[in-house]
């Protein structure tokens, strides 16, 4: 039976995909990926050199905003199109930045198609690991705990959850840097924080939080903080 | 200047290393890795087919137990040997199961050598992602938080920290399954838990917690639980 394959393509450096992802990409006849309304998007651009000519491509076009309606409509329509290929026996590879199951859009396709088709997931390098590599910051040793949390959470929740763990990796920090700064100042961890933008990519930057605030944050950036 | 390179070799499947890890392994003249007192250990075995003949190999031999003295002695002696090669201009690649900075032994070498030599880290696929792929379990969507925590933590700490997050990934669960079961029963999450043993490897198993307790847990296993 044909498989719906979620393929983690990593944080941006085309060399940070796995041998398995590269092999399955070459084999899959149909390739789907989230994309903005115009252009190919990050996931497709990471693996551009690995996709053989003549593949069927299904861009799942959605507004790159917090608008869930646009995203859900794209997943609904994409799932219908993907199901046709699967029914006709063709594997469909779905590209995902980072890892498919950690904040990955693949989850929404698995929800829509997982009860009818075989599903396989190829894990990918996720941004906490890529950002830690950029900052040369240990995430955890021994019995330490690590928290992965979107920066969109409330100031109170961030403070409570970060206080309870040794290391926190805050996702999608762009608009939330001032809030994060207040939380870390109260927790006395501001000097332990590193802002990492475009980890593993050509314009990677690793800054203190105050440097990042002065410059302005971007959406695909992460703050790492250790106690 | 020669570089100390931490290379994540992933969770066990030799195909789950990155193109970058494979390339740097071929280039490095000296390769170090943690190893038991006898044999080559998991990290070395994952990449056995990728290491060219004639490389200098430095196994960091230590008791595979909770004995920190044995491990520290191995890192101390290994750092001295590694430093000699770096001083003579040869890159040293240090193999790490999973990711080098998430519970990775590379952290201890970075602590000992990072102030004197250039350090580079190649992130690797870590067990939470490999286990989630095995269980086909989403780790997080939207604004959900994920906790990565060693199962060695106290019962009270596990309960408090798991209660506060949507998904928990418990590391090294082998001897701790009964404790984990009590915690998850109290949190009403027992039926949401999956035990994953040897994720991505030949004898991968994905079980309920009660199946795992009946069978007996192993050290390199993980429990994933979603709320």
């Amino acid at each position: 039976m044909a498989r719906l394959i979620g393929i983690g393509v990593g944080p941006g450096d085309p060399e940070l995909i796995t041998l398995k992802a590269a092999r399955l990409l070459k084999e899959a006849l149909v390739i789907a990926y989230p994309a903005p309304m115009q252009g190919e998007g990050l996931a497709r651009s990471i693996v551009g050199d690995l996709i053989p000519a003549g593949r069927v491509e299904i861009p799942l076009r959605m507004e790159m905003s917090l608008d869930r309606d646009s995203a859900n409509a794209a997943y609904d329509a994409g799932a219908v199109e993907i199901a046709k290929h699967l029914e006709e026996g063709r594997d469909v590879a779905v590209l995902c930045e980072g890892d498919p199951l950690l904040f990955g859009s693949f989850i929404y396709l698995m929800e829509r198609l997982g009860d009818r088709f075989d599903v396989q997931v190829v894990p990918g390098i996720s941004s906490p690991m890529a950002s830690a590599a950029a900052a040369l910051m240990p995430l955890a040793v021994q019995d330490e705990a690590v928290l992965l949390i979107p920066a969109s959470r409330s100031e109170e929740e961030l403070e409570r959850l970060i206080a309870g763990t040794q290391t926190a990796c805050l996702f999608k920090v762009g608009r939330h840097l001032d809030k994060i700064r207040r939380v870390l100042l109260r927790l006395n961890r501001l000097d332990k924080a590193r802002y990492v933008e475009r980890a593993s990519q050509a314009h990677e930057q690793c800054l203190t939080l105050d440097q990042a605030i002065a410059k302005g944050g971007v959406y695909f950036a992460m703050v790492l903080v250790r106690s």
Side-chain angles (χ1 to χ4, degrees), chain A residues 96-128:
Chain A
C96 309
E97 302 151 15
D99 181 83
L101 296 175
L102 185 62
F103 304 112
S105 50
F106 181 71
I107 296 167
Y108 303 107
L109 293 172
M110 190 167 79
E111 283 173 355
R112 285 163 170 80
L113 297 166
D115 55 347
R116 288 187 285 150
F117 301 100
D118 283 346
V119 175
Q120 181 182 359
V121 172
V122 180
I125 303 291
S126 189
S127 49

Side-chain angles (χ1 to χ4, degrees), chain A residues 3-189:
Chain A
R3 295 166 301 170
L4 177 71
I5 311 173
I7 296 190
V9 298
D13 178 349
E15 264 202 304
L16 286 181
I17 75 160
T18 62
L19 305 181
K20 187 167 192 170
R23 174 176 62 80
L24 290 174
L25 269 179
K26 278 179 198 149
E27 293 174 3
L29 298 177
V30 184
I31 294 170
Y33 45 86
M37 299 307 285
Q38 305 283 332
E40 63 178 9
L42 179 58
R44 173 68 175 77
S45 74
I46 293 171
V47 296
D49 290 343
L50 294 173
I51 298 178
R55 294 298 190 247
V56 174
E57 298 199 22
I58 305 176
L60 308 172
R61 297 206 176 275
M62 60 190 81
E63 302 287 348
M64 290 289 129
S65 67
L66 298 175
D67 176 11
R68 296 309 304 165
D69 289 341
S70 170
N72 283 329
Y75 295 128
D76 285 342
V80 171
E81 198 172 348
I82 288 167
K84 281 184 201 158
H85 291 284
L86 293 169
E87 281 162 3
E88 291 168 7
R90 287 182 291 276
D91 286 351
V92 177
V94 181
L95 309 180
C96 309
E97 302 151 15
D99 181 83
L101 296 175
L102 185 62
F103 304 112
S105 50
F106 181 71
I107 296 167
Y108 303 107
L109 293 172
M110 190 167 79
E111 283 173 355
R112 285 163 170 80
L113 297 166
D115 55 347
R116 288 187 285 150
F117 301 100
D118 283 346
V119 175
Q120 181 182 359
V121 172
V122 180
I125 303 291
S126 189
S127 49
M129 289 75 183
S131 297
L136 294 177
M137 182 190 285
L139 292 171
V141 295
Q142 309 272 31
D143 70 346
E144 293 179 346
V146 180
L147 176 71
L148 313 179
I149 189 165
S152 54
R153 296 283 284 263
S154 76
E155 190 159 337
E156 293 70 27
E157 288 177 307
L158 288 178
E159 182 165 353
R160 178 174 55 83
L161 290 168
I162 294 171
T165 45
Q166 278 72 40
T167 302
C169 307
L170 293 121
F171 284 68
K172 301 174 186 173
V173 295
R175 297 180 299 112
H176 302 284
L177 291 177
D178 290 325
K179 176 175 68 178
I180 294 168
R181 188 181 193 283
R182 290 192 298 273
V183 168
L184 297 184
L185 197 60
R186 286 199 295 273
L187 293 174
N188 202 22
R189 294 196 196 177

